Amino acid sequence: MAVMAESAVAQVKRSSMWTRAFESRNFLGAMFMVPAIAILILFLAYPLALGLWLGMTDTKIGGVGRYIGFGNFVSLAKDSVFWLSVFNTIFYTFAASIVKFAIGLYLALLLNERLPFKSMVRAIVLLPFVVPTVLSAIAFWWIYDSQFSIISWVLLKAGLITHYIDFLGDPWNARWSVVAANIWRGVPFVAITLLAGLQTISPSLYEAANLDGATNLQRFRHITLPMLSPIIAVVMTFSVLMTFTDFQLIYTITRGGPINATHLMATLSFQRAITGGNLGEGAAISNAMIPFLVAAILLSFFGLQRSRWQQGGRD
Amino acid sequence: MSNFDRRSVLKAGLGGAALLAGPGIVPVRAAEWTNVPEANASIRVLRWKQFIQAEYDKFAEQAKKFSEKTGVKVKLEAESWDDIRPKAAVAANVGAGPDLIIGTLDDPHKFPEKLIDMTDVADYLGKQYGGWYPVAERYGKKGNSWIAIPQGATGGCLNYRISHVKAAGFDEFPKDTDGFLKLCQALKKNNTPAGFALGHATGDANGWCQWALWAFGGKVVNDKNEVVIDSPETIAALEYVKQLYATFIPGVLSWNDSNNNKAFLNGELSLTLNGISIWTVGKNSPDPKQQEIAKDMNHAQMPIGPVGVSTEQQNILVYYGYKHSKYPKAVKEFIKFMMDKENYDAWEVASNGYVSPPLPAYNDNPVWTSDPKITPYRDCLKRCRDNGYAGDLGYASAAVMGDFVVVDMFAEAATGSVTPKEAAARAAERAKRYYQV
């Protein structure tokens, strides 16, 4: 009897401890965060840390590496192909992002107007984004083919050129060609997201502007653009990140050729790490992308800060 | 398969059987094979993805026969070459995965200590069938022991249009580099140009660029693994290829491994380096135009340069088993079974001469003479060097090839974006990054 009573007391004590714990906001909060933290650590922090570590070693595929500090970076600094890939990546990102933004914004403004078959047109605009990247890349590979290019064929038949255009065989032609493919693929994302942003702008602002006699350009300059800027910041950050780290398009269309003229840091990293077997150096090339990516994220961070200011808060 | 029907295969098979029974093939001394696979063994085999379905079907059929005969279960998987390379390395790294891989080139030399010693298999096959080609030995052996068993090569030969070469003034295909250049120039003049991939085409571009480098006496490293690519011989090769490049069809700089197939079968390309696939596809095509092209085409070996010997580079296939396998003896038994002449011959017939044999004794397979157009592919291993020439095969040779150091060098010099001297210096700089570690 005494034993039973004792255990009952203990039970009450334990359960009250649990109850109290679950009633505590701090404890509960921490518990709810555990799954998210676990996922972040397992799938983001750990791979990132492993990548950073690998970049500091001379690991070969199938072997154990030694720590060599910044050895990979010192060696890469002397590698002309690496520097070419850095240039290509920056060029690719800037050229593609600027055009994607311009066309995307233009499309979004158009789609925001009253159009016949509005929802159908919007769905069609999204198409390039829906097609798997590799498939569209293969299509572009055919479009740019040195012997079978449809563009060259049409221009030739129209009598505008005398021989097939060497789209992917000339360094600058190849760079512009892959940029064009990336733009085609990236525009829908920009357009649809900006369109969503446009639709959040209150019509009363435009009505007020109309009453004040504002021109179209003034309305765009003083209402649309400022109201849209937080969305623009987010969209362009994503667009820049995705373009900067692009792999599939390049790998399918040119494999980095001709003479490495379209090698991006991502494709070079793959070529060195997987095809070449030098995992450490490949990781180092990937790591070299991080400063650029962080810069892009910081840019968006400050863009978002501005949005708070726009909503009446302070900068 | 218009001119290679079942009857001719049957006849050829009988001929082969007669040869087998004849005195020519009887080994000098019978090789011993005492290996017994482990009880209840089961192995996972990862091989390169087939281009010819009949070849794979035969391989799978033989694997099944092997299981019936030995009781060893075989799980067969196939993946493209490009994917096997990283998987093989990861398997070596983590100590798990397939028991046996049939991959390419110098992969086993990147992780030799992880692989099953195959010396007894190589000795048995070598003794039984009168020896390996030297290049097969280079790919199979590390030091004194064998770490891999060469399966052969998906060989490359020159593919040319008979009528176009004739129209260019050559009744016979040129055998040396001088004649070859003249042919290409004449082809260009007739508007029936040659074309060789100069993009990042793992098979085609590496194949002919390495050939050109070696044909003039250039090489990436010497026998002490010191980088010696920046040499007068290399520059001679670059000057030669620069002249050659001027005769090519436009766009080769962007070509990958499949562009030349497409252009050739479309009649726009008259001379290129390729496997036997263009001819096979053309022959079996429902399109009369492609059939016509297949009829008007033939194959030849790469011409011989100033060094006076054949200097081809071929895509060698190799069997290698992992030490992490629980059934190393079953792995060896499987290789021995598949490589035994009887099985290899039947497989070769099914593949229609797709794989060049690693043992000269296997050259008597009637498939090689069933059509004279197939014959040049038979001797690919006789004519080629290993891709690490003149140094060792291993991490550095694989990395230099994987990073397209030689191909980029030729592309740079050929297009005139830099001088041959500069291109050679840059290649040396890039190669040193791998050979110095």
Side-chain angles (χ1 to χ4, degrees):
Chain A
M1 194 63 192
V3 177
M4 268 181 72
E6 220 174 52
S7 76
V9 169
Q11 225 167 28
V12 169
K13 243 187 199 164
R14 246 207 312 274
S15 67
S16 71
M17 225 171 80
W18 274 110
T19 329
R20 255 187 296 140
F22 274 105
E23 273 164 9
S24 142
R25 282 175 150 264
N26 289 339
F27 178 77
L28 259 186
M31 287 306 282
F32 282 132
M33 267 163 64
V34 164
I37 288 176
I39 288 172
L40 280 179
I41 288 179
L42 196 63
F43 295 111
L44 287 172
Y46 169 68
L48 184 67
L50 189 64
L52 287 174
W53 164 249
L54 273 177
M56 302 276 203
T57 67
D58 61 354
T59 311
K60 313 274 179 284
I61 281 196
V64 183
R66 279 178 307 127
Y67 175 76
I68 53 166
F70 288 92
N72 284 324
F73 296 98
V74 172
S75 133
L76 280 174
K78 287 183 259 169
D79 177 15
S80 53
V81 178
F82 169 72
W83 285 114
L84 185 61
S85 81
V86 173
F87 166 76
N88 292 337
T89 312
I90 294 174
F91 170 78
Y92 183 73
T93 309
F94 270 88
S97 299
I98 290 171
V99 181
K100 271 192 279 194
F101 173 67
I103 301 180
L105 183 62
Y106 172 70
L107 268 180
L109 290 171
L110 267 189
L111 291 174
N112 201 31
E113 299 295 319
R114 283 214 185 81
L115 282 178
F117 308 110
K118 197 154 137 189
S119 46
M120 213 158 88
V121 174
R122 283 182 190 170
I124 290 172
V125 167
L126 256 183
L127 268 183
F129 199 58
V130 178
V131 180
T133 312
V134 173
L135 289 188
S136 50
I138 290 173
F140 271 102
W141 181 62
W142 277 99
I143 290 171
Y144 294 143
D145 192 284
S146 49
Q147 271 77 41
F148 302 98
S149 165
I150 177 90
I151 302 177
S152 295
W153 184 82
V154 168
L155 293 177
L156 199 72
K157 291 280 169 196
L160 293 172
I161 52 172
T162 51
H163 54 83
Y164 272 50
I165 302 168
D166 196 1
F167 283 108
L168 301 177
D170 171 81
W172 277 104
N173 282 359
R175 283 191 190 117
W176 285 114
S177 300
V178 289
V179 164
N182 182 282
I183 290 169
W184 177 85
R185 202 182 144 61
V187 158
F189 170 72
V190 179
I192 294 296
T193 322
L194 289 184
L195 177 62
L198 282 176
Q199 286 173 344
T200 62
I201 303 177
S202 162
S204 59
L205 290 174
Y206 292 109
E207 282 160 20
N210 275 346
L211 291 178
D212 288 343
T215 63
N216 271 346
L217 196 68
Q218 280 171 326
R219 278 190 295 160
F220 176 75
R221 169 73 188 81
H222 295 289
I223 299 174
T224 313
L225 217 51
M227 292 303 285
L228 206 57
S229 68
I231 298 279
I232 291 178
V234 175
V235 167
M236 289 321 288
T237 310
F238 274 107
S239 175
V240 164
L241 291 187
M242 286 193 296
T243 318
F244 200 88
T245 54
D246 196 4
F247 175 85
Q248 299 178 68
L249 269 180
I250 299 291
Y251 200 71
T252 314
I253 299 179
T254 65
R255 294 229 163 173
I259 330 177
N260 303 316
T262 59
H263 242 320
L264 302 184
M265 289 164 86
T267 51
L268 186 68
S269 165
F270 178 84
Q271 181 176 307
R272 295 271 166 90
I274 307 298
T275 328
N278 200 342
L279 218 51
E281 192 183 293
I285 296 174
S286 289
N287 293 345
M289 294 165 75
I290 293 176
F292 296 100
L293 298 176
V294 169
I297 292 167
L298 285 181
L299 218 71
S300 110
F301 181 73
F302 288 116
L304 289 171
Q305 289 287 305
R306 268 188 53 142
S307 78
R308 198 182 301 158
W309 159 73
Q310 280 158 359
Q311 281 152 16
R314 258 187 271 156
D315 220 347
Chain B
M1 294 235 173
S2 57
N3 52 1
F4 198 68
D5 56 10
R6 200 192 307 175
R7 185 172 300 168
S8 68
V9 172
L10 204 67
K11 262 196 266 177
L14 285 174
L19 259 176
L20 205 67
I25 203 65
V26 172
V28 187
R29 57 191 160 126
E32 270 184 45
W33 182 252
T34 52
N35 184 55
V36 179
E38 298 85 352
N40 297 322
S42 126
I43 56 173
R44 244 181 91 192
V45 180
L46 176 63
R47 57 157 275 176
W48 44 278
K49 197 160 196 94
Q50 70 278 11
F51 289 86
I52 297 165
Q53 192 54 39
E55 175 271 310
Y56 183 81
D57 293 345
K58 191 76 193 173
F59 192 87
E61 182 195 313
Q62 290 183 345
K64 208 171 146 216
K65 223 184 264 172
F66 167 78
S67 294
E68 282 160 13
K69 195 180 152 203
T70 59
V72 176
K73 282 197 200 91
V74 178
K75 190 167 170 253
L76 195 58
E77 295 158 28
E79 284 192 46
S80 79
W81 336 80
D82 289 347
D83 295 335
I84 287 188
R85 180 157 274 195
K87 281 206 171 171
V90 170
N93 202 2
V94 301
D99 301 274
L100 173 64
I101 286 184
I102 314 171
T104 49
L105 295 170
D106 43 13
D107 278 353
H109 292 262
K110 290 195 276 188
F111 33 82
E113 70 284 357
K114 307 281 172 86
L115 300 175
I116 300 171
D117 188 327
M118 295 282 179
T119 309
D120 47 351
V121 186
D123 280 350
Y124 163 79
L125 290 167
K127 276 185 193 145
Q128 183 79 359
Y129 302 114
W132 298 88
Y133 278 119
V135 73
E137 206 168 315
R138 292 272 305 158
Y139 275 105
K141 245 174 153 175
K142 182 95 188 169
N144 287 325
S145 52
W146 290 69
I147 54 167
I149 301 295
Q151 188 192 25
T154 49
C157 283
L158 290 169
N159 289 221
Y160 65 92
R161 293 289 292 273
I162 300 165
S163 60
H164 296 174
V165 167
K166 212 165 251 168
F170 288 79
D171 287 331
E172 202 176 80
F173 198 87
K175 291 196 166 41
D176 59 3
T177 40
D178 286 342
F180 185 66
L181 178 60
K182 287 196 186 97
L183 168 67
C184 289
Q185 284 163 340
L187 283 171
K188 159 98 174 165
K189 209 177 277 168
N190 291 350
N191 210 15
T192 55
F196 293 80
L198 258 180
H200 286 175
T202 316
D204 291 346
N206 275 313
W208 82 275
C209 288
Q210 290 284 2
W211 157 80
L213 177 66
W214 294 333
F216 287 82
K219 53 194 165 206
V220 177
V221 288
N222 62 15
D223 54 5
K224 295 188 198 87
N225 291 313
E226 294 158 343
V227 174
V228 292
I229 194 170
D230 190 2
S231 67
E233 289 83 7
T234 303
I235 289 163
L238 291 171
E239 298 282 5
Y240 175 80
V241 166
K242 201 173 171 180
Q243 288 174 277
L244 213 53
Y245 173 76
T247 71
F248 288 173
I249 191 168
V252 290
L253 227 49
S254 67
W255 278 11
N256 64 24
D257 280 307
S258 65
N259 285 74
N260 61 343
N261 298 48
K262 293 189 296 182
F264 201 100
L265 282 169
N266 201 41
E268 290 173 34
L269 184 61
S270 300
L271 169 63
T272 193
L273 169 72
N274 207 66
I276 203 161
S277 51
I278 294 180
W279 179 68
T280 313
V281 170
K283 208 165 53 120
N284 299 327
S285 166
D287 181 356
K289 193 180 151 205
Q290 293 195 351
Q291 284 178 17
E292 211 44 53
I293 288 174
K295 261 182 217 145
D296 183 41
M297 70 182 285
N298 203 349
H299 304 114
Q301 66 174 74
M302 295 297 288
I304 291 173
V307 293
V309 290
S310 280
T311 56
E312 294 178 7
Q313 190 266 329
Q314 300 286 2
N315 189 35
I316 307 288
L317 309 167
V318 280
Y319 280 98
Y320 47 97
Y322 288 95
K323 274 187 187 152
H324 66 238
S325 168
K326 281 191 275 179
Y327 309 107
K329 288 185 171 171
V331 166
K332 286 185 192 181
E333 195 69 25
F334 180 78
I335 301 175
K336 185 247 171 200
F337 181 87
M338 300 303 270
M339 289 299 293
D340 256 337
K341 190 165 192 304
E342 186 191 344
N343 292 326
Y344 196 94
D345 275 352
W347 173 64
E348 189 78 84
V349 170
S351 82
N352 201 12
Y354 186 65
V355 178
S356 319
L359 292 142
Y362 290 11
N363 289 348
D364 63 2
N365 192 319
V367 75
W368 296 117
T369 41
S370 60
D371 190 317
K373 290 181 183 179
I374 305 181
T375 317
Y377 284 93
R378 182 186 62 196
D379 303 324
C380 285
L381 274 96
K382 191 172 159 186
R383 300 191 303 256
C384 77
R385 287 177 175 170
D386 61 276
N387 62 297
Y389 180 84
D392 296 328
L393 287 169
Y395 154 74
S397 67
V400 164
M401 201 164 167
D403 208 20
F404 295 102
V405 171
V406 172
V407 174
D408 284 348
M409 173 182 79
F410 276 101
E412 282 176 340
T415 55
S417 71
V418 298
T419 64
K421 175 83 196 122
E422 285 163 344
R426 264 167 61 89
E429 205 180 285
R430 288 177 66 185
K432 274 181 193 155
R433 300 183 65 241
Y434 297 109
Y435 275 98
Q436 266 171 0
V437 286

